[in-house]
Amino acid sequence: MPEERRLEEQLISQEAERRLSNQLDEAEQIDVNVQTDLFKIVQGQADGVSLSGKGLVFKENIRVQDIKLQTDSIAVNPFSAIFGQIEFNAPVNAIARIVMTESDINQALKSEFVQNSAKNYDLNVEGEIVRFEIQNMQLSFPENNKIEFQGLMTITEKGKSRPLGFTARFQPRIYANPIILESFDCHQGEGVSLELVLALMQKVKELINLPDFTWEGTKFKIINMEVKQHHLILLVETQIRQIPPSISEITN
């Protein structure tokens, strides 16, 4: 009986891996493990699903060096599960560990998703509305648990526009502790008022301490961040509806 159960898990998991591979631009390695047996699948149940992968490339050339994900016990659509499409009857809680390199992150910062999400912002500077538009973003890890962010933006103030560059250095989020902004320096800009710098610093603090982000319709809550050997390691909570995602979720 145990051998039969392992075979069922293997067949369903292999088909889920095949479907997921077909929906990625590139993948060095993918492993899906559906923890169930035939009796549970017929009843629409599974103990959980785990997923691990290396070198996964999604649309817009967003790359993940390494990912490990584990769901809670789940209620599934039994018919689709037999064919490797793990559809959940309700959103399922999952924990994921995601590793990205400096190169991965900087490539993602150039993607249409990020450019559209972090483009224009308005600041209230002593009653005057100042708009800034981010033109370029670059991230680096000068040492363990230190993140340096360099940006070039266009500031529009009283109908006049001018370039402004800045460098911000901060410590990553560690569980309950927020991200700490250690320094903020403006350059490549003349006549920048102290009030504008302070408003920019406050906006940067708000942006880097956002508790969650949404990608492809799925919300991710960042629990912990760690910078180690030029890699960013994220521990996130999320809710997912199926593995692999549907074609419509990927293309919309």
Side-chain angles (χ1 to χ4, degrees), residues 98-118:
I98 302 170
V99 181
M100 299 181 75
T101 66
E102 280 186 20
S103 177
D104 293 337
I105 294 170
N106 285 316
Q107 183 63 43
L109 289 175
K110 299 175 184 177
S111 69
E112 184 178 349
F113 164 72
V114 174
Q115 292 293 322
N116 290 337
S117 300

Side-chain angles (χ1 to χ4, degrees), residues 123-130 157 193-197 199-200:
L123 299 175
N124 189 323
V125 182
E126 294 192 317
E128 295 285 343
I129 299 301
V130 178
E157 186 177 12
S193 67
L194 176 61
E195 291 76 17
L196 177 56
V197 172
L200 280 171

Side-chain angles (χ1 to χ4, degrees), residues 13 17 20 29-33 50-54 67 69:
S13 300
E17 289 171 14
L20 182 56
Q29 178 185 333
I30 296 179
D31 293 303
V32 178
N33 181 19
S50 62
L51 181 152
S52 63
K54 293 183 182 296
I67 183 171
L69 179 145

Side-chain angles (χ1 to χ4, degrees), residues 17-236:
E17 289 171 14
R18 186 190 68 79
R19 284 173 172 264
L20 182 56
S21 296
N22 289 341
Q23 294 184 5
L24 294 169
D25 289 344
E26 185 180 333
E28 295 175 14
Q29 178 185 333
I30 296 179
D31 293 303
V32 178
N33 181 19
V34 183
Q35 296 131 25
T36 189
D37 57 43
L38 184 58
F39 179 72
K40 289 179 180 177
I41 280 293
V42 170
Q43 291 187 315
Q45 299 174 354
D47 295 328
V49 178
S50 62
L51 181 152
S52 63
K54 293 183 182 296
L56 307 186
V57 180
F58 302 84
K59 74 168 192 173
E60 299 186 14
N61 205 25
I62 295 177
R63 182 180 183 276
V64 172
Q65 174 72 24
D66 185 271
I67 183 171
K68 290 181 174 63
L69 179 145
Q70 176 68 52
T71 73
D72 293 340
S73 58
I74 53 179
V76 298
N77 181 320
F79 182 78
S80 64
I82 291 173
F83 294 96
Q85 186 75 33
I86 316 302
E87 296 180 354
F88 308 132
N89 293 337
V92 172
N93 295 325
I95 294 289
R97 181 181 183 271
I98 302 170
V99 181
M100 299 181 75
T101 66
E102 280 186 20
S103 177
D104 293 337
I105 294 170
N106 285 316
Q107 183 63 43
L109 289 175
K110 299 175 184 177
S111 69
E112 184 178 349
F113 164 72
V114 174
Q115 292 293 322
N116 290 337
S117 300
K119 192 69 173 174
N120 301 317
Y121 298 95
D122 289 335
L123 299 175
N124 189 323
V125 182
E126 294 192 317
E128 295 285 343
I129 299 301
V130 178
R131 165 159 291 200
F132 71 93
E133 179 179 355
I134 299 177
Q135 304 291 341
N136 187 41
M137 297 177 285
Q138 186 82 14
L139 210 66
S140 63
F141 307 132
E143 55 186 290
N144 286 347
N145 282 332
K146 300 288 183 184
I147 300 175
E148 189 169 279
F149 182 78
Q150 294 184 344
L152 179 63
M153 65 180 73
T154 298
I155 298 288
T156 302
E157 186 177 12
K158 296 179 180 178
K160 296 182 179 180
S161 298
R162 51 180 169 159
L164 177 66
F166 70 91
T167 300
R169 179 176 285 209
F170 51 92
Q171 296 179 18
R173 179 190 307 275
I174 302 176
Y175 294 103
N177 298 324
I179 294 173
I180 299 174
L181 181 63
E182 293 186 336
S183 63
F184 185 89
D185 299 312
C186 290
H187 50 84
Q188 197 174 332
E190 297 180 358
V192 180
S193 67
L194 176 61
E195 291 76 17
L196 177 56
V197 172
L198 292 175
L200 280 171
M201 287 179 62
Q202 183 59 38
K203 175 57 72 173
V204 169
K205 285 182 180 180
E206 291 175 8
L207 293 175
I208 63 178
N209 273 300
L210 289 174
D212 51 48
F213 63 95
T214 302
W215 185 55
E216 302 296 344
T218 300
K219 182 175 287 187
F220 296 86
K221 180 180 179 181
I222 300 173
I223 302 173
N224 187 52
M225 302 171 69
E226 181 182 1
V227 174
K228 191 173 182 180
Q229 297 178 339
H230 298 284
H231 289 72
L232 177 64
I233 305 168
L234 299 175
L235 188 64
V236 301

